[in-house]
Amino acid sequence: MFLLRRAIRFALSLVLVVLASFAMLHLIPGDPVRAALGPTAPREAVEQRRAELGLDRPWPEQLKTYLGKVATGDFGESFLSRQPAGQVIADRLPATVQLVAVTMALALLVAVPLGMAMAARTHGGRGRRTELAFTSVTGGLSVVPEFLLAVGMIALFGVTLRWLPVAGKDGAASFVMPVLALAAGPAALLARLVRVETLRELSSDYVRLARAKRVPAVRLYLRHLLPNTLTAALTTGGLLLSSLLGGSVVVEYVFQWPGLGGTTVEAIAGKDYALAQAAILVYGAISLTVVFAVDVALGLLDPRSRPRMLG
């Protein structure tokens, strides 16, 4: 029953994403065909192109055609490049997946040990100054927009110091600034969460018993505290992974990363309906899949979480 309900919710959410991808771009003012062909294109050419794309038909008919094509994996043809939108997505998506995967891995590798170390340092009211510094820095990083960090790093490390490349994807050095711009906020949020969860675990009875038995600190933290803390961290991390996809759109555009983000921005700006719809649909489907996978994994690993998630 748990898996069935989650699958039904996933399917309904995916349908809403498909409908939203169709509706939102049609609500944007302006003529995409005129934008693609240019302001000097003859009216006859514009009308012919609109007819070829089916944009001269009523919305219900356009929606029916769109749903039928999406169901078969046909995302149409890009207005601007005249390439299949699905092929453009397939070419650009791997670079985005690489960027987001490296970012998420870095955020977890930094946040989990940092949060646990801060909990150990500030447990029992100790280290007030350390706690203040930690909460101030992580709180600030968690609210700074990714694009501001990206622009700041470009100005400092790319233009002033010339340590790192400011655009493109060419070698490991090109990952540094985009990954840091994307990872700063999620890492800060996760570190705060891990600290709170670790503090809660440190006050539990089993930790007191382990300390009474003089269990070594390393064993206590790695074998007992870490697994319990990771449940909350991975739950939030899975949700943050979805938000990272949205943040990567602007960051990729700033750094001219050859991924789906810059392509999406350009498609929306150029009113390239087919490509923009396909990109939005892919982003939405990936986000829903991540949330669905996290919910199912936690429900299977920790049955106590099922009633809460089903509410």
Side-chain angles (χ1 to χ4, degrees), residues 17-245:
V17 168
V18 173
L19 295 177
S21 69
F22 173 83
M24 68 173 59
L25 291 174
H26 281 71
L27 296 176
I28 298 176
D31 187 344
V33 177
R34 171 63 68 181
L37 297 181
T40 61
R43 183 176 180 179
E44 294 77 10
V46 173
E47 294 299 328
Q48 180 181 354
R49 184 60 177 159
R50 286 179 59 82
E52 291 173 357
L53 296 171
L55 296 177
D56 58 339
R57 302 172 186 172
W59 276 29
E61 189 175 342
Q62 291 186 45
L63 176 59
K64 181 180 178 181
T65 302
Y66 177 67
L67 293 177
K69 288 184 176 181
V70 168
T72 60
D74 181 5
F75 297 104
E77 184 183 86
S78 170
F79 292 178
L80 300 177
S81 67
R82 300 295 182 94
Q83 293 180 316
Q87 185 60 50
V88 177
I89 298 294
D91 292 341
R92 297 285 186 166
L93 186 58
T96 295
V97 172
Q98 285 182 336
L99 181 62
V100 172
V102 173
T103 298
M104 198 67 233
L106 177 64
L108 288 171
L109 289 174
V110 171
V112 173
L114 177 60
M116 295 187 71
M118 288 297 103
R121 179 71 178 84
T122 59
H123 179 59
R126 297 177 291 122
R128 292 293 186 183
R129 292 183 179 179
T130 302
E131 179 181 2
L132 178 61
F134 171 77
T135 54
S136 299
V137 172
T138 55
L141 287 175
S142 63
V143 298
V144 176
E146 296 93 342
F147 75 90
L148 284 182
L149 289 176
V151 172
M153 284 190 290
I154 287 175
L156 178 60
F157 299 113
V159 177
T160 303
L161 299 177
R162 298 185 180 181
W163 288 353
L164 297 167
V166 299
K169 177 178 177 284
D170 184 18
S174 62
F175 277 84
V176 175
M177 288 198 290
V179 167
L180 290 179
L182 281 173
L189 286 172
L190 284 173
R192 291 168 69 93
L193 173 67
V194 169
R195 174 179 172 270
V196 171
E197 289 295 318
T198 304
L199 287 174
R200 184 175 62 83
E201 293 295 327
L202 286 172
S203 301
S204 61
D205 292 336
Y206 80 89
V207 171
R208 296 192 187 98
L209 178 61
R211 284 177 167 170
K213 293 182 177 181
R214 299 185 180 276
V215 174
V218 174
R219 181 181 177 186
L220 174 64
Y221 276 85
L222 294 182
R223 293 194 58 183
H224 300 285
L225 290 175
L226 181 59
N228 293 330
T229 302
L230 277 180
T231 300
L234 291 176
T235 303
T236 307
L239 300 177
L240 286 176
L241 183 58
S242 299
S243 67
L244 275 178
L245 288 170

Side-chain angles (χ1 to χ4, degrees), residues 256-278:
Q256 294 298 294
W257 189 261
L260 191 55
T263 301
T264 303
V265 173
E266 293 171 358
I268 294 175
K271 296 183 175 60
D272 191 341
Y273 278 7
L275 184 54
Q277 284 176 329

